[in-house]
Amino acid sequence: MGRIGRNWGLYVLLLPAVVLLFCFTYIPMYGVMIAFKDYNPVMGISGSPWVGFKHFERFFHSYQFELTIKNTLFISLYSFATFPIPIVFALFVNQMRQNWFRRFFQTVTYMPHFISTVVLVGLMLILLSPGNGLIGNLYRLFGAEAPNLMGSAGLFSSVYVWSDVWQQTGWNSIIFLAALSAVDPSLYEAAKADGASRWQNIWHIDIPMLMPTAITLLILRVGGLLGVGFEKVYLMQNNLNITGSEVISTYVYKVGLLSAQYSFSSAVNLFNTVVNFILLILVNRISRRYSEQSLW
Amino acid sequence: MSRTGIAIKPAAQKTASRRSSDSILEVLLYIWAALVLLITLYPLYFIVIASFSDPSAVGNGQVWFYPKGFTLDGYKELLNHSNIWIGYKNTILYTAVGTLIGLAVNLSAAYALSRKDLFGRRAITLFFIFTMFFNGGLIPTFLTIRDFGLYDTFLVMVLPFAVGVFDIIVARTFFQNSIPPDLWEAAQIDGCGNIRYYVQVVLPLSKAIISVLALWIAVGHWNSYFNALIYLKDKELYPLQLILRNILITNQMQSSMGTGEAAEIAMRLANMLRYSVIIVSTLPIMCIYPFVQKYFNQGVMIGAVKQ
């Protein structure tokens, strides 16, 4: 008790964050149990009757199950495949010798990160419209018909992933640039003395130095494999692309809030969270065994 | 003599081959950089020139490098939309209040967690970190917020999600690495308590991390629409992003319009409004961020260092 009393001020500083997390993150975790109940607003969370795995079974047997899982996994793996792009980007930026150019380049390429999701999707609708958008005009210049990128279920994942690459590559490279700037300069001097070219520097010094950071981020990404974000998908969704764009998070929102099936929606969400959690633990274990890199 | 001759020759050859491969790299690097700059900037530049152009010229593909049929009608149309300005006002309020709350909550928690003499430090850290991987999900969170009476209030936009665990970790690492523990010992001898020490000594020494966190949190508030979509009903409380969504994406403007010529003019104005609204809503951030950019590398590097 004495140890706490001596530093009571620190606990006062911690208090707001702890209270907020408790109220708005831990209490909802307790509320997850409505996934196993038939939630009734009058009886509340604890008073509603238990129904076991009824809602999970309904989800597994619904025709939405296969579609949402397939879309979520596909979009996720697709964007997972673009994981190396920021690394290559950072390696190139790291090679830029003119400082003013490098700073300018970074300022410009970080910029899209600060565009809101709403504006980004608005931009895409304007630029990618086959009728009077930039893409439409470009195709017409060559006498061709532009594809309807925003209204096609098959192209949805590509539009989603590559617009993300456009928006986030510069920003995502920061952490790798930070890792590269921590490389001991004597390594490069030693390499220079041995007559290494800059290609060889990249290959034999830079890339190995980035591996620990890359693996840590990779593990975190796998943990979110079924967690394709709600915001952008929901904004990009329309009646034309819905079979390619319905993912777990948008489905949870629609059945949960729009049609007020609280228990069912919570069950779908819980399934999603649990799968992600298991994936994270698995990948962390594999990584710890083979590369001695792990989150915990 | 012959020994040095032998030693120099291979080195000279290596230098020559290094130079040619290095200059290929240099050329490729700048071609690549030019392409990346073009792809990043052109779409943004296009929106700017389109906002000053006659929309039919934009639609016909006449606008490529500079505005055609210069007009300010889009910006004039912007002035007629009172809900855009309500949204603007709300967003400024949410951003200002939300950033202050976020900074206060996260920085103080981060500082406390950075202190090695905090009893129960590991357990409290775990309490924070656990929420990064597990949460109640949409519906239980929604029900909780509603039960707290926060649904459709100003507070829901600034309070429930003020804790950013990632921000706390980054700030904690900063405090651990750049505030020397000796300072605390000296202050303690002078009879200074933890809270006064934090406010009067630690915070003034932490401008770099405060600026980075302030930018992160402010941009988050400025750009967020998800919480407003879920927790707000009253249009008077809508932030800019929700209004933008109606204008840019769901086309709520067009559906409320008549037919014939009037509809055509309205369509035209709606299109122009889209360009100008994108610019007006994004400009504030684009103006602020370059000033804080110099702290980014530093901030991320500090955060990336493992505990």
Side-chain angles (χ1 to χ4, degrees):
Chain A
M1 238 27 231
R3 282 202 282 178
I4 294 178
R6 203 167 49 234
N7 276 328
W8 62 270
L10 294 181
Y11 296 92
V12 175
L13 291 176
L14 272 171
L15 197 66
V18 170
V19 169
L20 284 176
L21 267 194
F22 180 78
C23 289
F24 299 109
T25 310
Y26 280 93
I27 292 181
M29 284 185 204
Y30 161 83
V32 165
M33 69 161 92
I34 66 168
F36 304 97
K37 291 184 160 202
D38 264 337
Y39 176 71
N40 181 326
V42 182
M43 291 183 277
I45 292 173
S46 48
S48 300
W50 292 97
V51 293
F53 285 90
K54 176 180 136 187
H55 300 295
F56 292 87
E57 275 162 26
R58 206 186 117 205
F59 177 51
F60 297 151
H61 293 127
S62 76
Y63 75 98
Q64 295 283 14
F65 178 70
E66 205 185 319
L67 183 78
T68 53
I69 298 277
K70 204 182 74 194
N71 285 340
T72 311
L73 262 180
F74 185 71
I75 295 173
S76 219
L77 289 172
Y78 195 157
S79 66
F80 198 66
T82 65
F83 182 79
I85 294 177
I87 302 180
V88 175
F89 191 95
L91 289 171
F92 284 0
V93 172
N94 193 48
Q95 288 298 323
M96 291 180 180
R97 291 290 177 261
Q98 272 82 19
N99 261 329
W100 70 268
F101 182 77
R102 184 181 161 149
R103 251 198 312 272
F104 168 73
F105 187 78
Q106 285 181 285
T107 306
V108 170
T109 50
Y110 295 174
M111 213 150 73
H113 171 80
F114 294 93
I115 296 173
S116 75
T117 315
V118 175
V119 167
L120 178 80
V121 177
L123 268 176
M124 286 158 69
L125 283 169
I126 289 171
L127 299 175
L128 302 182
S129 145
N132 52 13
L134 200 55
I135 275 277
N137 292 340
L138 208 58
Y139 269 81
R140 230 166 293 136
L141 212 58
F142 297 101
E145 190 74 32
N148 187 0
L149 292 171
M150 294 300 284
S152 149
L155 292 172
F156 180 85
S157 49
S158 295
V159 179
Y160 178 88
V161 169
W162 290 103
S163 60
D164 228 44
V165 169
W166 180 81
Q167 192 182 16
Q168 305 294 357
T169 296
W171 184 257
N172 290 342
S173 73
I174 294 182
I175 189 155
F176 299 109
L177 279 167
L180 282 174
S181 69
V183 176
D184 186 351
S186 66
L187 279 176
Y188 294 115
E189 276 156 31
K192 200 175 167 188
D194 288 345
S197 71
R198 278 164 72 183
W199 288 110
Q200 286 168 322
N201 276 348
I202 295 177
W203 195 250
H204 295 291
I205 301 175
D206 293 348
I207 292 181
M209 290 309 261
L210 286 182
M211 284 318 276
T213 313
I215 290 172
T216 308
L217 291 177
L218 207 63
I219 297 172
L220 284 172
R221 279 286 282 275
V222 173
L225 207 54
L226 280 192
V228 173
F230 170 85
E231 295 208 358
K232 198 171 149 199
V233 176
Y234 184 67
L235 288 167
M236 284 174 66
Q237 253 176 14
N238 55 45
N239 292 333
L240 295 170
N241 64 26
I242 193 74
T243 51
S245 65
E246 192 79 293
V247 295
I248 295 177
S249 58
T250 53
Y251 185 58
V252 165
Y253 171 72
K254 285 175 192 164
V255 294
L257 281 185
L258 300 186
S259 46
Q261 301 179 51
Y262 291 162
S263 286
F264 179 64
S265 171
S266 299
V268 176
N269 200 67
L270 183 60
F271 165 76
N272 189 4
T273 311
V274 169
V275 172
N276 278 337
F277 207 62
I278 293 171
L279 280 172
L280 181 72
I281 290 167
L282 267 177
V283 172
N284 196 51
R285 187 164 293 172
I286 292 169
S287 167
R288 192 163 39 188
R289 177 170 302 166
Y290 293 104
S291 73
E292 287 159 22
Q293 274 286 311
S294 69
L295 290 178
W296 57 80
Chain B
M1 275 308 278
S2 65
R3 273 184 67 194
T4 43
I6 292 163
I8 286 167
K9 218 178 165 189
Q13 269 175 352
K14 269 181 191 166
T15 319
S17 71
R18 183 171 74 219
R19 273 204 197 113
S20 71
S21 86
D22 282 358
S23 55
I24 293 171
L25 179 86
E26 196 85 352
V27 171
L28 287 178
L29 190 67
Y30 285 104
I31 293 174
W32 169 82
L35 274 175
V36 170
L37 286 177
L38 182 74
I39 294 168
T40 313
L41 278 179
Y42 186 72
L44 304 176
Y45 175 72
F46 177 80
I47 296 295
V48 176
I49 56 174
S51 79
F52 293 112
S53 301
D54 182 356
S56 48
V58 178
N60 293 337
Q62 290 167 17
V63 175
W64 292 103
F65 305 108
Y66 50 87
K68 277 267 168 68
F70 184 86
T71 166
L72 290 171
D73 286 356
Y75 293 92
K76 282 182 196 150
E77 182 65 11
L78 201 64
L79 294 171
N80 292 333
H81 282 267
S82 59
N83 53 0
I84 291 178
W85 301 107
I86 294 173
Y88 226 104
K89 183 199 78 188
N90 288 335
T91 291
I92 291 173
L93 277 175
Y94 295 141
T95 304
V97 178
T99 306
L100 284 177
I101 295 181
L103 279 180
V105 169
N106 293 322
L107 285 172
S108 33
Y111 173 67
L113 288 176
S114 77
R115 281 275 294 273
K116 297 219 158 58
D117 55 344
L118 178 81
F119 181 74
R121 186 164 170 254
R122 275 186 69 91
I124 303 168
T125 309
L126 196 67
F127 175 86
F128 281 91
I129 302 234
F130 183 65
T131 63
M132 289 177 91
F133 301 105
F134 204 85
N135 61 67
L138 181 67
I139 301 299
T141 310
F142 175 80
L143 294 176
T144 310
I145 291 207
R146 209 188 49 186
D147 291 347
F148 272 104
L150 291 173
Y151 181 74
D152 208 22
T153 60
F154 180 91
L155 272 185
V156 81
M157 297 298 289
V158 293
L159 198 62
F161 310 103
V163 182
V165 177
F166 183 74
D167 296 1
I168 292 180
I169 295 174
V170 172
R172 182 197 63 175
T173 317
F174 176 91
F175 291 133
Q176 271 170 2
N177 293 336
S178 46
I179 309 288
D182 303 350
L183 265 182
W184 165 238
E185 274 153 33
Q188 223 178 357
I189 292 166
D190 291 341
C192 179
N194 272 307
I195 294 177
R196 214 179 109 205
Y197 173 72
Y198 165 68
V199 174
Q200 293 188 344
V201 179
V202 175
L203 286 184
L205 288 174
S206 311
K207 292 203 182 74
I209 195 70
I210 296 175
S211 342
V212 173
L213 282 201
L215 183 83
W216 282 351
I217 299 173
V219 169
H221 277 288
W222 188 275
N223 286 344
S224 91
Y225 89 102
F226 181 73
N227 287 338
L229 177 75
I230 289 171
Y231 298 112
L232 293 182
K233 194 176 55 187
D234 183 358
K235 285 202 161 60
E236 293 293 310
L237 286 173
Y238 276 9
L240 187 59
Q241 298 299 329
L242 214 52
I243 314 271
L244 284 180
R245 169 174 171 256
N246 296 343
I247 294 171
L248 290 173
I249 294 158
T250 50
N251 277 337
Q252 287 191 356
M253 323 263 308
Q254 285 170 19
S255 58
S256 61
M257 287 157 191
T259 49
E261 206 176 315
E264 213 160 277
I265 294 170
M267 263 285 276
R268 204 182 114 100
L269 286 175
N271 269 330
M272 304 193 71
L273 182 65
R274 283 206 190 115
Y275 298 113
S276 52
V277 90
I278 287 179
I279 289 168
V280 172
S281 65
T282 313
L283 209 57
I285 300 176
M286 293 300 166
C287 293
I288 295 170
Y289 113 84
F291 294 102
V292 193
Q293 197 203 332
K294 62 176 174 186
Y295 294 121
F296 287 169
N297 282 334
Q298 205 183 338
V300 172
M301 187 151 50
I302 294 159
V305 176
K306 264 194 139 185
Q307 27 190 339

